[in-house]
Amino acid sequence: GEIVYMLCAILTDHKLLMHAEDPLVLMSAAQGLRSLMSPLPHGSHFIPYLPKTLMSIADTATLINDAASPFIIGTQTTLIQELAADGYVLSPQLIVVDLDRAELRPCSPSGDEAVPFP
């Protein structure tokens, strides 16, 4: 059910954030999801692995929470934990997938209240 939910989310221009401890798991999951979309077109940004050393925590929070267009972003769980430790909260418009625990947190139906990082 979660894979179908993620495919529907991408097709309906939602923002999808995946996280796991192992970068190879992230890249494989992101690429597999993208492959399942073929041949359907999708205009979302695709970042299968966003390393925590690429940008500051504040810039990462801005990218994840304030992006104007839909995306598929994968990052390590430690980056999500650092964001939470620094007081950042997830946008309610994000769909968050924990690949290590096989858990999916859908976006908030009302879209008006922030959800804390796990």
Side-chain angles (χ1 to χ4, degrees), residues 65-81:
N65 284 323
D66 299 331
S69 58
F71 59 72
I72 301 169
I73 295 178
T75 191
Q76 285 182 286
T77 303
T78 54
L79 178 60
I80 301 295
Q81 293 166 345

Side-chain angles (χ1 to χ4, degrees), residues 48-68:
Y49 175 57
L50 177 66
K52 67 180 183 177
T53 58
L54 186 64
M55 58 181 67
S56 71
I57 293 294
D59 289 342
T60 301
T62 300
L63 171 68
I64 291 171
N65 284 323
D66 299 331

Side-chain angles (χ1 to χ4, degrees), residues 12 76 91:
T12 56
Q76 285 182 286
S91 165

Side-chain angles (χ1 to χ4, degrees), residues 17-106:
L17 176 66
M18 299 185 292
H19 66 91
E21 290 295 330
D22 185 357
L24 292 176
V25 170
L26 286 168
M27 291 186 282
S28 298
Q31 192 59 44
L33 190 60
R34 193 171 186 195
S35 294
L36 288 172
M37 299 272 310
S38 179
L40 302 173
H42 61 93
S44 62
H45 295 287
F46 181 68
I47 306 171
Y49 175 57
L50 177 66
K52 67 180 183 177
T53 58
L54 186 64
M55 58 181 67
S56 71
I57 293 294
D59 289 342
T60 301
T62 300
L63 171 68
I64 291 171
N65 284 323
D66 299 331
S69 58
F71 59 72
I72 301 169
I73 295 178
T75 191
Q76 285 182 286
T77 303
T78 54
L79 178 60
I80 301 295
Q81 293 166 345
E82 285 183 33
L83 287 164
D86 284 357
Y88 293 101
V89 294
L90 289 172
S91 165
Q93 298 171 346
L94 283 173
I95 297 167
V96 182
V97 181
D98 183 339
L99 297 172
D100 294 329
R101 291 193 247 164
E103 294 177 351
L104 182 142
R105 195 221 62 206

